[in-house]
Amino acid sequence: MAARGARRLLGSLWIALFLGQPDPAAAAARSSLQSPAGSTVRTFTPFYFLVEPVDTLSVRGAFVILNCSAYCEPSPKIEWKKDGTFLNLVSDDRRQLLPDGSLLINGVVHSKHNKPDEGYYQCVATVESLGTIVSRTAKLTVAGLPRFTSQPESTSVYRGNSVILNCEVNADLVPFVRWEQDRQPFFLDDRVFTLPSGALIISNVTDGDGGLYRCVIESGGSPKYSDEAELKVLPDPEVPLNLVFLRQPSPLTKVTGQSAVFPCVTSGFPTPVIKWMRNEEELTIEDSERFLLLAGGSLEISDITEDDAGTYACIVDNGNETIEAQADLTVQAPPEFLKQPANIYAHESMDIVFECEVTGKPTPTVKWIKNGDMVIPSDYFKIVKEHNLQVLGLVKSDEGFYQCIAENDVGNAQAGAQLIILEHAPATTGPLPSAPRDVVASLVSTRFIKLTWRTPASDPHGDNLTYTVFYTKEGINRERVENTSRPGEMQVTIQNLMPETVYVFRVVAQNRHGPGESSIPLKVATQPEVQLPGPAPNIRAYANSPTSITVTWDTPLSGNGEIQNYKLYYMEKGTDNEQDVDVGGHSYTINGLKKYTEYSFRVVAYNKHGPGVSTQDDVVQTLSDVPSAAPQNLSLEVRNSKSIMIHWQPPPAGTHNGQITGYKIRYRKASRKSEVTESIGGTQLFQLIEGLERGTEYSFRVAALTSNGTGPATDWISAETFESDLDETRVPEVPSSLHVRPLVTSIVVSWTPPENQNIVVRGYAIGYGIGSPHAQTIKVDYKQRYYTIENLDPSSHYVITLKAFNNVGEGIPLYESAVTRPHTVPDPSPMMPPVGVQASILSHDTIRITWADNSLPKNQKITDARYYTVRWKTNIPANTKYKTANTTTLSYLVTSLKPNTLYEFSVMVTKGRRSSTWSMTAHGTTFELVPTSPPKDVTVVSKEGKPRTIIVNWQPPSEANGKITGYIIYYSTDVNAEIHDWVIEPVVGNRLTHQIQELTLDTPYYFKIQARNSKGMGPMSEAVQFRTPKAESSDKMPNDQALGSAGKGSRPLDIGPDYKPPMSGSNSPHGSPTSPLDSNMLLVIIVSVGVITIVIVVIVAVFCTRRTTSHQKKKRAACKSVNGSHKYKGNSKDVKPPDLWIHHERLELKPIDKSPDPNPIMTDTPIPRNSQDITPVDNSMDSNIHQRRNSYRGHESEDSMSTLAGRRGMRPKMMMPFDSQPPQPVISAHPIHSLDNPHHHFHSGSLASPTRSYHHHQVNPWPIGTSMSNSDRANSTESVRNTPSTDTMPASSSQTCCADHQDPESATASYLANAQEEDSGQSLPTAHVRPSHPLKSFAVPAVPPTGSTYDPALPSTPLLTQQASNHPVHSVKTASIGTLGRTRPPMPVVVPSAPDVQETTRMLEDSESNYEPDELTKEMAHLEGLMKDLNAITTA
């Protein structure tokens, strides 16, 4: 019986290994789809472009390839169109179709009168009997003949100034322009750059910049040179020079993703400072990655987005004067699909709509293509909702591929879908209804008809019948369909018909067996349209004044009778409030409009039948006028004894009444009847007034200007110049006194200025807060001597600080404290606080707070004026203040929180003057986010005594945004190399130091570090350089070198073929080498013990086979009970599997692969022999404490290596592939044979899915396949067959009864752990498991509960379970980062899961206790049954 079961299991395993399981996704794709009616239908055929042609710039005589490749089964036929016409490539000797469908043009032809190759190209793919699709349109531009529109001219420049040498060429020739100085190539650097037009800009000119300059065009053929221009460099001028623009910014129009350069080149002395404004806000260029200040002050914007559009102003200031220039940046965007057409199944006569939504700037136009031909709108093909295509009354010929083509000035794009017309399902057997009777048109209008009928004669009741109405225009073979809305209904209204048109109708009844006979066709003509006026022609609107517009129009051409009157509609642009006025004639003037505002107008004519067709909108703008309001926020800042700086803001929006062209500043001495001085400035919002008198008070006012004149001015405000030029090279001294007077909810603060009056004081900063003065800060004018702090809490202790400040900074503070007075009015009775406060985490920065209010009715509906206050804070850092927000609903969305941070929330309710206390707090931790800052303080030092080894130290990122799970160290000898060419060192866990060995002596290395958490990788740190020492220490051991390369990326050591690496424990934790003699002795002892154990097992087995089999049924019952509960595996933590493992030390996983590479990129990962290996031990007894770290963290120094492997003699190390984005992990090992039917045991611990978070524990219901090549598979299966069955038996029985669990930590570790093959000739043994007691099984623990602090010292990976038939044999994909991919990936190996700490402790206690006689008898009975099965298999 047992032998028969084993043979069945072996047979199913062989089939699973060699045949595999069919891919369920492929099987699903091959299966036929079912239509709603149940008929078998064709599937959609994938047909799309893999590559589409792109816009290309070429030169005359060059060759051009326009790429195109389409995918379909069968392969499509590729053709090309140029300017809408198909190219005949068969007889063309210059144009050639490449095998992949691309178009090759040899020797581009281009002259002034012959441009045969320039134009628009389109790729067309066709599959017979399926359809045609067309690609996007690509423009081929050929650069013209090299010509200069302007050439450089000789000039002179003062040393330190900037200069421009012009060389203007056509835009398509700019990429081919370069410069020469004294006929030698002139190289660009941080002082020198070229504008997009080709002009050369040199800033901060030096004497070496003098010489002869010329520009060169190299566009194929011989180069073309410009005239030479001499640049003379003059010494520094002795006197200041006026600022002048050499090149001002000019308006630009760019496409998203492109770069833009705004030139701003000036000349003057002293050298000026340049800053940029965008939309009147200063640009912070230093911290931006996309904004760059070029030499001389020009602005470069890279990777332009639509948000970059606006007005850019260049402001140049050298202390003596300020000049400004501005230009607009317009950003365009190519078409982009928001919604693409979707494939559609339909029946004949149905109506369908292909949806297509696009965006772009300018707004794209959309056209539709069917099988390569343009769809022309008609009665049956209509464009609806701007871009969607509606097809009415489908016929069979409508089938095919439809494409939505979107196009604007800067690009085009296409997206397509397939339409399949289904055949109607055949009727089932059964009686079908006869034709409906008495079909009549009961109501006929101009655009709709109502039909009614009686039930068919075959079914006079007709309650379960549905009806379909087919209709079409007379003479047209396209029928449309309309269904009744419910069974038994015998009328329908057909809408959207044409007036005065004959339609043909027929009705079909349908029961559960199918559609019946059609009624006799009924012809009905719609009524003629009522005669209404047409649109009024020649509508024209023009502005008379800033507040009035006159509109004129003519009589409609199709008046259809006498026009009674007109209605003029008008509306302010951007609003939806349309107004109208009745007009008897053909013109009208509307008064009282807003100044300088756009309005739209339309006219509708009326006759006796009613309103006619409206005209198109005509848009016109009222005239501009002087501003109707003064500038805002005028402020004065005394600079010194002779100058005052004025700042202001523009008038409020809507009061400009035109384009602001400048500002008029008027000022005078404050004394009466003094003369008024006027100064007119540009559009900048500040002005420095100089040449004033000392110690004199001046009054200022500002007015805005338009082209129409000057608007109202601000009120006069005054400021007094300093008596003498006070000192502003240092901060002010401490104020001489500070007094506070507390009230109930306010504190009055008064002070006196610093005693030293010779230092400029620009104002005072008042800080205050409960217990700390840094909570709030208020700044007041330097003239002010008191201030009232409002909105304070009663009976609270406030600390107040006062500091004087100037432009250098803030001075020394003066401190005072005060306690606000208590409330004298008794508080009203408090309200009940909200209850049931809950925090729901939505994202990394958002938490929703919900609560209930017991003072509301049961339906929790708020009918009064109460509101709720939500407050929240985090305890890190400790002194964080509460933030609050008010809401009138029972929930609030708290945003802008920090990632991975614990917040506490509470709520109070306020109604009138009554408030509740704060509710009980709710807590929530925001989700993690990828690190947003790199690791800090990266340092590299050489290891003492080992010059080829370095130690990298760092600190965690300041914005980790979650628990750091590891780091990646990149290093290279070339700091400019692409990042994928750097060598990678993975560091797992939160270690902050790492050793890298076997570096080249006397070589500079560059290091970058990247942190990762569960959400992904953060940014890289800046490169840190380190040069290794010149000399290597003489006592360097070979063992050190061998181990040093274990964690290295892509640099295997050059070792001789006879080299044998040390055993896995050859290095002690402190770096002292272990004698090979000790290892050999340990090996002999282990082998001897193993042989003795095998002999004892054989003797016991022979003895036990003679025993009675009475307990065998109990054993199988125990197995079945466990197998039956495998569905509860996820929560079966407390269920112990029966103890059925015998001699676990005999369980082996056979060798898999022999790698020819002696040093793959792997990491030492010692594997525990038994449960004792992971129990804590005293440091004095064993250096095992290093094993507490995760063993998958990559190769470490000798100081951190565990000695576990050293104590195990010949025990090699495990190998795991590393990948930053892990492929689907697959465990590789041999199948373990079971004695029971295979279908009971499909439960096994799965590796964590790479698409989920790394700590998510998932149980995979399918067995995990082996990872082998074809030859490896054959070898491995042979080894299974030759293995003695006594070896496989214990593993099989235990696997039958015990389900493997996988620790979440091990799921993470399983793909991070890197292992190293020890020797090229050494096969890879598998892990052994020893029980804690000779008769007790090694129980695999359940998954630790979430939130447990258990952290296994070593990674655990589940044992491979049985392979059932028809299951896939997966392969391991070891994708790599950078150069890791260039070494041969090793085969992964499975090790048994280690028990958790509690389970291990319990097992150790069991092993020390003695067995009772009854328990021992039961164990022997189990043993006897197993040995009988063992005997049967061995005999078979």
Side-chain angles (χ1 to χ4, degrees), residues 1038-1039 1041-1043 1053 1055-1062 1158-1159 1318-1320:
N1039 289 352
Q1041 298 175 8
L1043 279 168
L1053 283 175
I1055 304 174
D1058 298 330
Y1059 169 74
K1060 294 190 177 181
N1159 264 319
E1318 290 296 322
D1319 194 315
S1320 61

Side-chain angles (χ1 to χ4, degrees), residues 675-948:
E675 183 180 350
V676 175
T677 305
E678 275 192 6
S679 171
I680 296 179
T683 56
Q684 72 267 19
L685 302 175
F686 57 88
Q687 182 79 31
L688 182 65
I689 306 296
E690 299 181 292
L692 306 178
E693 297 180 8
R694 297 174 181 269
T696 305
E697 185 176 6
Y698 286 87
S699 298
F700 297 84
R701 69 193 305 181
V702 179
L705 302 175
T706 65
S707 58
N708 300 81
T710 306
T714 61
D715 294 332
W716 291 98
I717 66 168
S718 302
E720 185 178 345
T721 54
F722 296 141
E723 192 68 47
S724 60
D725 285 335
L726 301 180
D727 181 13
E728 200 172 3
T729 61
R730 50 194 175 130
V731 298
E733 294 184 358
V734 63
S736 52
S737 68
L738 172 64
H739 302 282
V740 296
R741 184 163 64 89
L743 302 174
V744 178
T745 60
S746 62
I747 296 177
V748 180
V749 184
S750 59
W751 64 88
T752 54
E755 293 180 359
N756 186 353
Q757 301 285 324
N758 295 322
I759 302 176
V760 175
V761 175
R762 302 239 175 240
Y764 295 92
I766 304 169
Y768 65 94
I770 297 178
S772 168
H774 307 301
Q776 301 280 347
T777 301
I778 294 168
K779 290 190 175 183
V780 298
D781 187 70
Y782 72 98
K783 293 181 179 179
Q784 201 156 330
R785 295 292 179 266
Y786 66 91
Y787 184 79
T788 302
I789 305 173
E790 305 281 0
N791 300 321
L792 303 181
D793 296 334
S795 304
S796 300
H797 183 271
Y798 283 87
V799 178
I800 299 164
T801 179
L802 177 73
K803 293 177 283 187
F805 67 86
N806 57 22
N807 288 336
V808 177
E810 295 180 340
I812 302 171
L814 198 59
Y815 291 90
E816 269 294 349
S817 62
V819 178
T820 50
R821 296 179 184 176
H823 253 310
T824 55
V825 180
D827 289 336
S829 57
M831 300 182 69
M832 292 282 290
V835 297
V837 181
Q838 293 185 345
S840 305
I841 294 88
L842 302 183
S843 70
H844 65 274
D845 64 351
T846 306
I847 295 180
R848 180 182 293 280
I849 309 302
T850 56
W851 60 88
D853 190 346
N854 280 345
S855 61
L856 290 175
K858 286 186 178 180
N859 62 3
Q860 293 287 290
K861 188 171 182 179
I862 302 172
T863 56
D864 49 25
R866 71 181 64 201
Y867 65 91
Y868 301 89
T869 303
V870 182
R871 71 174 183 180
W872 65 93
K873 64 172 286 190
T874 177
N875 291 326
I876 301 173
N879 60 352
T880 306
K881 302 299 180 186
Y882 278 104
K883 293 185 178 180
T884 61
N886 293 336
T887 178
T888 57
T889 61
L890 295 175
S891 67
Y892 184 74
L893 202 65
V894 184
T895 58
S896 302
L897 302 178
K898 296 180 181 177
N900 194 44
T901 304
L902 174 65
Y903 286 88
E904 65 175 45
F905 303 87
S906 51
V907 187
M908 67 180 290
V909 59
T910 303
K911 181 180 176 183
R913 293 180 55 215
R914 299 173 59 209
S915 295
S916 72
T917 57
W918 290 104
S919 68
M920 297 183 68
T921 59
H923 294 81
T925 302
T926 50
F927 293 148
E928 293 188 0
L929 184 67
V930 295
T932 51
S933 66
K936 303 182 299 186
D937 305 337
V938 181
T939 59
V940 184
V941 295
S942 180
K943 185 166 184 180
E944 185 176 355
K946 295 187 178 180
R948 293 165 67 88

Side-chain angles (χ1 to χ4, degrees), residues 99-168:
D100 66 343
S102 300
L103 178 65
L104 169 65
I105 305 176
N106 285 304
V108 171
V109 175
H110 190 80
S111 64
K112 184 175 182 180
H113 302 292
N114 184 25
K115 302 175 182 179
D117 292 331
E118 198 170 56
Y120 292 90
Y121 288 80
Q122 193 173 36
C123 177
V124 181
T126 304
V127 175
E128 290 298 332
S129 75
L130 189 60
T132 300
I133 57 175
V134 298
S135 72
R136 69 180 298 277
T137 304
K139 182 180 182 182
L140 173 61
T141 306
V142 182
L145 297 176
R147 290 191 183 90
F148 297 101
T149 55
S150 71
Q151 304 202 33
E153 298 177 355
S154 297
T155 184
S156 60
V157 60
Y158 287 104
R159 186 188 304 119
N161 258 339
S162 299
V163 67
I164 292 185
L165 295 172
N166 286 321
C167 179
E168 306 290 335

Side-chain angles (χ1 to χ4, degrees), residues 1304 1344-1350:
T1346 306
S1348 168
T1349 59
Y1350 165 56

Side-chain angles (χ1 to χ4, degrees), residues 301-489:
I301 311 170
S302 58
D303 193 16
I304 288 177
T305 65
E306 293 190 50
D307 295 335
D308 294 329
T311 301
Y312 288 78
C314 165
I315 300 173
V316 186
D317 184 7
N318 68 351
N320 297 328
E321 60 178 321
T322 302
I323 58 176
E324 176 187 357
Q326 62 184 25
D328 290 331
L329 173 63
T330 303
V331 179
Q332 297 180 327
E336 186 177 345
F337 287 99
L338 300 177
K339 177 183 283 187
Q340 298 190 6
N343 294 336
I344 295 179
Y345 283 119
H347 290 284
E348 286 192 74
S349 302
M350 286 178 58
D351 299 342
I352 62 161
V353 175
F354 283 111
E355 293 185 332
C356 179
E357 288 185 30
V358 293
T359 182
K361 192 173 181 181
T363 303
T365 59
V366 169
K367 62 182 179 181
W368 284 86
I369 302 289
K370 178 205 169 189
N371 287 336
D373 296 323
M374 176 90 70
V375 174
I376 300 173
S378 65
D379 291 343
Y380 295 94
F381 286 86
K382 296 183 178 181
I383 305 298
V384 296
K385 293 185 179 178
E386 293 187 19
H387 300 145
N388 297 342
L389 176 66
Q390 183 182 44
V391 185
L392 305 177
L394 289 176
V395 295
K396 187 66 176 176
S397 61
D398 293 333
E399 198 170 69
F401 284 88
Y402 289 78
Q403 289 176 276
C404 175
I405 309 286
E407 186 174 15
N408 65 7
D409 293 343
V410 293
N412 62 90
Q414 62 84 22
Q418 185 180 5
L419 169 64
I420 290 181
I421 306 294
L422 300 175
E423 301 292 339
H424 281 283
T428 57
T429 56
L432 298 175
S434 58
R437 296 174 290 172
D438 301 338
V439 178
V440 294
S442 59
L443 181 60
V444 179
S445 180
T446 56
R447 296 184 180 272
F448 71 88
I449 292 176
K450 183 178 181 181
L451 293 181
T452 58
W453 57 88
R454 293 198 300 126
T455 56
S458 61
D459 193 348
H461 295 290
D463 294 335
N464 296 322
L465 295 180
T466 57
Y467 298 91
T468 302
V469 178
F470 295 91
Y471 65 98
T472 182
K473 284 185 186 179
E474 188 178 30
I476 303 295
N477 61 355
R478 274 185 183 270
E479 275 193 324
R480 297 184 61 190
V481 64
E482 187 79 33
N483 294 313
T484 54
S485 57
R486 61 181 181 274
E489 185 178 25

